[in-house]
Amino acid sequence: MEELIPIVGKLTQRYTSLERTSVTYETANQLMGVVLYCLREAEYASDHALVSGGGCDML
């Protein structure tokens, strides 16, 4: 999980358009959920040889 924090940090910067340096705990939790979802989808796609397109390309 610690390895994902920098990814969530970059996603937070994109989410706030670099206008803020912090977000609420709830927002950070949602963004972490997005990262975890994308990782699970990528793993599923590689296991099933599917073409990418699950909406996680922004990460």
Side-chain angles (χ1 to χ4, degrees), residues 29-47:
N29 196 33
Q30 288 177 335
L31 293 172
M32 179 61 85
V34 168
V35 171
L36 293 173
Y37 170 82
C38 288
L39 288 172
R40 284 191 300 267
E41 287 297 307
E43 183 178 4
Y44 177 83
S46 68
D47 288 346

Side-chain angles (χ1 to χ4, degrees), residues 2 4 23-24 33 45:
E2 287 181 32
L4 300 179
V23 294
T24 65

Side-chain angles (χ1 to χ4, degrees), residues 13-57:
Q13 290 176 341
R14 292 179 77 176
Y15 176 80
T16 63
S17 300
L18 300 173
E19 292 181 11
R20 290 182 280 162
T21 57
S22 62
V23 294
T24 65
Y25 175 80
E26 290 80 13
T27 299
N29 196 33
Q30 288 177 335
L31 293 172
M32 179 61 85
V34 168
V35 171
L36 293 173
Y37 170 82
C38 288
L39 288 172
R40 284 191 300 267
E41 287 297 307
E43 183 178 4
Y44 177 83
S46 68
D47 288 346
H48 294 88
L50 297 176
V51 176
S52 178
C56 295
D57 296 331

